[in-house]
Amino acid sequence: AAGVIQSPRHLIKEKRETATLKCYPIPRHDTVYWYQQGPGQDPQFLISFYEKMQSDKGSIPDRFSAQQFSDYHSELNMSSLELGDSALYFCASSSWDTADTQYFGPGTRLTVL
Amino acid sequence: AQTVTQSQPEMSVQEAETVTLSCTYDTSESDYYLFWYKQPPSRQMILVIRQEAYKQQNATENRFSVNFQKAAKSFSLKISDSQLGDAAMYFCAYRSRETSGSRLTFGEGTQLTVNP
């Protein structure tokens, strides 16, 4: 079965640079979620989109923005990167016919030097 | 706001034995979902089991089952016939059913070790 695809899988950036993470949901899933997981921590919710509209917002820094496109893929844009942004970033997707159960991608590991 | 608590940072079990991981949560909502996710060393988040709060029957998926006590706001995971591949970090998670596209709130996780 098709899974959530995230790219890139690994990303190394310098402080103050910009990064773009991409997420391709499971086919026919209409909702996308972004989570951030720091070392030794549980995943923290950032933001979600349903039918290309923001549906929920968590502790996402103002330096970060995200959107969902017409083909339902989503991008997380991160600017003015800080050392503390180093983390594993997960994308998850869901649909009404899976009772909105969230299925996770493999994650993008971002390292900020 | 909802909170999820896992009071066991680490647990260990012998291969082929049974282990129970604990989870409690706090919410004022009556309709919600509860989940257990597994995160092996690969860091992939894998769904283990799901429970709908309006269902009294405890969910079961092969060797994995839950004990859902709604009044006590308790949601434990039982792993039977433990296998080496079950070794992972296990996260309990809550999701409101009242709004579409709402977030998962995770507990702190329980690191499970399976001894051969």
Side-chain angles (χ1 to χ4, degrees), chain A residues 31 33 35 37 41-43 45 48 50 55-58 88 90 98-106 109, chain B residues 33 35 37 39 42-47 50 52 89 91 95 99-109:
Chain A
T31 308
Y33 311 78
Y35 293 86
Q37 186 179 28
Q41 298 180 358
D42 55 286
F45 173 75
S48 63
Y50 168 67
S55 53
D56 194 6
K57 188 174 181 180
L88 187 58
F90 285 109
T98 63
D100 282 324
T101 297
Q102 296 180 26
Y103 295 91
F104 283 74
R109 181 173 298 282
Chain B
Y33 294 106
F35 303 86
Y37 282 88
Q39 188 174 42
S42 67
R43 305 296 300 277
Q44 173 80 50
M45 292 289 287
I46 301 166
L47 175 69
R50 180 187 76 201
E52 288 124 339
M89 179 71 85
F91 290 101
R95 182 189 174 279
T99 53
S100 182
S102 59
R103 69 189 70 183
L104 286 169
T105 299
F106 289 90
E108 307 93 330

Side-chain angles (χ1 to χ4, degrees), chain A residues 68-112:
Chain A
Q68 186 181 32
F69 295 85
S70 58
D71 64 350
Y72 295 101
H73 95 272
S74 178
E75 295 183 3
L76 177 65
N77 296 292
M78 311 160 68
S79 63
S80 303
L81 287 169
E82 302 174 356
L83 296 178
D85 295 330
S86 295
L88 187 58
Y89 290 84
F90 285 109
C91 173
S93 72
S94 72
S95 70
W96 67 270
D97 61 349
T98 63
D100 282 324
T101 297
Q102 296 180 26
Y103 295 91
F104 283 74
T108 293
R109 181 173 298 282
L110 173 66
T111 302
V112 181

Side-chain angles (χ1 to χ4, degrees), chain B residues 29-97:
Chain B
E29 298 176 335
S30 60
D31 201 7
Y32 50 86
Y33 294 106
L34 295 165
F35 303 86
W36 281 96
Y37 282 88
K38 165 185 175 181
Q39 188 174 42
S42 67
R43 305 296 300 277
Q44 173 80 50
M45 292 289 287
I46 301 166
L47 175 69
V48 175
I49 200 163
R50 180 187 76 201
Q51 174 78 44
E52 288 124 339
Y54 67 89
K55 289 187 177 179
Q56 293 191 349
Q57 186 173 5
N58 289 322
T60 299
E61 288 288 342
N62 300 314
R63 298 182 294 108
F64 299 87
S65 61
V66 298
N67 183 3
F68 173 48
Q69 302 290 328
K70 190 173 184 179
K73 296 180 182 175
S74 171
F75 183 60
S76 61
L77 175 69
K78 186 172 82 171
I79 306 175
S80 303
D81 185 26
S82 296
Q83 300 176 0
L84 295 177
D86 295 333
M89 179 71 85
Y90 285 81
F91 290 101
C92 177
Y94 172 101
R95 182 189 174 279
S96 170
R97 201 182 176 201

Side-chain angles (χ1 to χ4, degrees), chain A residues 20-66:
Chain A
T20 296
L21 278 55
K22 296 185 178 182
C23 170
Y24 297 86
I26 292 171
R28 294 183 297 280
H29 280 199
D30 52 18
T31 308
V32 171
Y33 311 78
W34 288 97
Y35 293 86
Q36 178 192 58
Q37 186 179 28
Q41 298 180 358
D42 55 286
Q44 296 294 311
F45 173 75
L46 294 176
I47 196 167
S48 63
F49 294 88
Y50 168 67
E51 285 290 346
K52 291 153 283 186
M53 298 291 290
Q54 181 181 305
S55 53
D56 194 6
K57 188 174 181 180
S59 305
I60 182 170
D62 292 341
R63 301 177 289 107
F64 293 8
S65 65

